[in-house]
Amino acid sequence: MSKCIGCGVKLQTIDPNSAGYVKEIVLIENGDDVYCKRCHDVIHHNKKYDVENDIEGYYSKIKNIKNTNSLVLLLVDIFDINNGFIPKLSEYIGKNEVLVLVNKTDIIPRSMKLKNIEEYIRGVAKKQNLNFVGVMMISAKNPKDCEKVVEKIRKLKYRYKNKRRTGFDDCYVMGCASVGKSTFINSVIGKYLGGKNFITTSEQYHTTVDIIKIPLDQTSYIIDTPGIVNDKSFGNYLSYESMKDLKVNTYIKPRTFQLKNDQTIFIGGLCKLEFLEGDNISASFYVGNDLYIHRTKTIKADELWNLQKHKLLVPPYTEEESNKLSDLTQYEILVESKEKSKDLLIPNVGFVHLSGDNLKVKLYIDKKIRVNIEDSFL
């Protein structure tokens, strides 16, 4: 049985409620050029599905990459850098070379220093025990950026004077769910293969569910892999409606607050920052424009939470989601002076830049969510 051209799942004609279902008459009339029911509904009816995260299944699909001679393109969302590096990736891809593509650089404010972010990403990549060959800052929607990536791929493949010897055979596109892998591949298809977009892309989180192979040249394939939903990010615990508020797809407008001691800021209903001590306090939020941020006096924070949870303070929108994120932990952030400001990297949310003199802040967030606190590089 063939695979869905949109998400890569194996097609079947037996059970309409199982993955890969397609009507038998559709297969007969269209051959291998077929979308499964799920992809058809996403594309034509804008239907949404909550994510089913199968970590073991994901690793079973990529475990053989280490036995190949391949180039790995690792797509990382600039608003979720650290979780963009797939856990235990080196165990599954072996010594294959890795080119990191940082997506969504077209929608960050000019005040954010791309060179500093690139340098930070290089540091993260080197800690992952990867055979790292470079980083490129791109927009997966920009054909010119995709053209530069393809040129880089060709240079890496045909780097030797002996043209019969190549740097690798196939090229695997990897990354977390909804980082833009399929959008990138569709841009490549449109530019170099003259094809229409046929890999499923939408606001639906986690659209590719199995391996998809597309010819890159006469001797290679570019291979789209499923996205992993990192269990240290909010995407593993929130519904489609909640994740929609977190998605960053348009040029972001930073929101900056001048604060006093004993004030609290809620980031939706996901986490809160308590400002305990300090002078000249400033907090800038580089997050999606639809994500609600609310400032209040700390003495009123608990009352506000009890009254406005799932109403004003969203996401999450449901008690079921909140229960998954209720095991809170505390991070203490200390900032000596404005010259030594700090950046918080919160997965699926973005960056928070903290500045002030003798500043003491506490972050309350579910302990499963990975938070990175860094000397400022923005």
Side-chain angles (χ1 to χ4, degrees), residues 159-188:
R159 72 188 79 170
Y160 303 109
K161 291 183 179 179
N162 180 354
K163 297 302 180 183
R164 293 184 179 180
R165 182 185 178 191
T166 58
F168 57 87
D169 298 323
D170 296 322
C171 180
Y172 284 85
V173 182
M174 306 185 72
C176 289
S178 297
V179 73
K181 300 182 304 299
S182 298
T183 299
F184 168 75
I185 291 180
N186 279 335
S187 293
V188 173

Side-chain angles (χ1 to χ4, degrees), residues 274-292:
E274 285 188 359
F275 294 83
L276 304 175
E277 300 174 10
D279 300 306
N280 305 311
I281 305 170
S282 174
S284 297
F285 294 82
Y286 297 83
V287 300
N289 299 325
D290 293 333
L291 179 56
Y292 183 68

Side-chain angles (χ1 to χ4, degrees), residues 237-239 242 305-306 309-311 314 316-326:
Y237 308 101
L238 296 178
S239 67
S242 290
W305 173 253
N306 291 329
K309 182 174 67 170
H310 309 146
K311 299 174 184 176
V314 291
Y317 284 92
T318 67
E319 195 66 40
E320 181 183 359
E321 295 171 273
S322 293
N323 289 338
K324 295 176 184 177
L325 296 167
S326 60

Side-chain angles (χ1 to χ4, degrees), residues 102-119:
V102 185
N103 192 22
K104 300 184 181 177
T105 59
D106 57 324
I107 58 176
I108 65 169
R110 292 180 181 177
S111 60
M112 293 179 71
K113 303 176 181 68
L114 270 182
K115 286 187 178 180
N116 291 355
I117 296 174
E118 181 178 335
E119 196 60 33

Side-chain angles (χ1 to χ4, degrees), residues 3-39:
K3 290 186 174 184
C4 170
I5 62 172
C7 69
V9 70
K10 188 175 180 180
L11 296 171
Q12 53 92 12
T13 59
I14 306 299
D15 184 1
N17 297 315
S18 296
Y21 177 74
V22 63
K23 292 181 179 179
E24 188 170 2
I25 187 64
V26 175
L27 274 179
I28 294 171
E29 291 178 349
N30 297 279
D32 291 335
D33 192 22
V34 172
Y35 289 102
C36 69
K37 180 179 182 295
R38 176 180 180 271
C39 283

